Amino acid sequence: TKLCVLISGNGSNLQAIIDEISAGRLDAVVSGVISNRPNAYGLERAKSAGINAVCLDHTQFEDRESYDSALKEQINTFGADCVVLAGFMRILTPEFVDEFAGKLVNIHPSLLPKYKGLHTHQRAIDNGDTEHGVSVHFVTPELDGGPVIIQSRVPVFEGDSADDLAERVQEQERRIYPLVLRWFSAGRLSMRDNKAILDEQEL
Ligand code: GRF
C-alpha cells in the first residue's frame, strides 16, 4: 500500500508512520511526503528516512484551485493508495477532496464533532472539559466533518496547559494513526455513503 503523506510542520505523525513501517508493524510504503511549508521539520524526517520529499509552497500559487491541481499532480507522480493528512494545515477544495474520496484521511486533535478548526486544546481547557482527545476521519468537503474512523480519549487535569494536553493527545495520535493505516492497508477500511466501514461493519 502506497501512502502519500501531506504535512505542514513537525511531522510527529509522519514519524510514527515511518517507525511503524520500519518495525514491520505496518505493511505499507511512504511513496512521498509533500509539505506546503519549506521549513517543515517533517521534510527532514522524510529525508533522513530516505523518502522522497517535496515542498509545494502555497504562497507561490495564484489561488487554491491551482495549488490543489499541483498537489494532485505531485501525489499521482508519487503514487498513492491513500493520501494521509498529518498536521497538514490547508483547507482543500471540494474538487480535490472528491478526487481522493475514500482514500483521503486526516487526524484532528479533538473528539469530533467537538472543536473543529484550530486551538482545540486551549478551547477544551477554557470550557473546563475533563476529557479531550483525537479523531481520525475520512476527509469530505466539510472541514473536519468527514465520517470518523476512530477516536482516542485522554483526561484533562487541573492546571493542564495547552502544551500539556497537546502532548497527552499526541501520544494517542502516534498510536491510532498507524492503526487506521494498518486497517486500510489490509483492505478492511472503506468509506461508503459518507460512513466509515471496517470489515463491513459501520463504525
Ligand atoms: C497534531 O496535533 C495533529 O493532531 C494536528 O497537527 C499537529 C501536528 O502534527 N493535525 P504533526 O506533529 O506535524 O504530525
Side-chain angles (χ1 to χ4, degrees):
T1 301
K2 288 184 176 176
L3 309 175
C4 185
V5 184
L6 276 49
I7 63 169
S8 298
N10 178 26
S12 67
N13 283 284
L14 167 65
Q15 190 65 57
I17 293 164
I18 290 170
D19 295 346
E20 285 296 290
I21 291 172
S22 308
R25 290 192 296 263
L26 173 52
D27 180 16
V29 295
V30 178
S31 58
V33 171
I34 305 169
S35 171
N36 66 306
R37 292 194 179 285
N39 59 353
Y41 184 63
L43 287 169
E44 299 309 312
R45 294 179 189 272
K47 286 171 192 149
S48 303
I51 294 168
N52 288 331
V54 299
C55 172
L56 282 182
D57 182 347
H58 65 272
T59 64
Q60 306 303 306
F61 290 78
E62 277 290 296
D63 54 32
R64 203 169 286 283
E65 286 68 23
S66 58
Y67 183 77
D68 282 12
S69 166
L71 195 55
K72 174 182 152 190
E73 205 176 307
Q74 183 63 58
I75 290 167
N76 290 335
T77 300
F78 281 146
D81 297 306
C82 186
V83 180
V84 181
L85 306 184
F88 187 64
M89 304 306 274
R90 291 247 334 143
I91 294 176
L92 294 160
T93 58
E95 293 72 27
F96 179 96
V97 170
D98 290 343
E99 178 80 27
F100 293 102
K103 53 186 217 176
L104 177 59
V105 292
N106 182 45
I107 191 162
H108 180 76
S110 80
L111 294 174
L112 291 172
K114 290 177 77 171
Y115 307 128
K116 296 180 181 179
L118 300 174
H119 313 302
T120 62
H121 310 301
Q122 191 58 55
R123 289 158 65 191
I125 290 166
D126 293 348
N127 275 2
D129 293 359
T130 55
E131 200 176 56
H132 184 44
V134 53
S135 308
V136 178
H137 62 95
F138 281 108
V139 176
T140 61
E142 186 199 345
L143 179 63
D144 297 333
V148 171
I149 298 165
I150 188 170
Q151 294 187 312
S152 180
R153 296 168 184 279
V154 299
V156 184
F157 297 122
E158 272 301 309
D160 265 344
S161 68
D163 285 349
D164 296 330
L165 194 46
E167 195 176 319
R168 200 169 303 133
V169 165
Q170 288 180 8
E171 201 176 319
Q172 295 306 312
E173 291 177 5
R174 290 193 282 273
R175 190 174 59 80
I176 66 173
Y177 225 172
L179 174 59
V180 167
L181 296 175
R182 264 197 291 283
W183 289 342
F184 192 93
S185 298
R188 299 175 54 194
L189 179 64
S190 59
M191 182 173 79
R192 202 179 308 143
D193 304 329
N194 207 34
K195 299 243 188 299
I197 309 286
L198 177 64
D199 294 339
E200 305 307 310
Q201 307 293 322
E202 184 182 324
L203 287 173

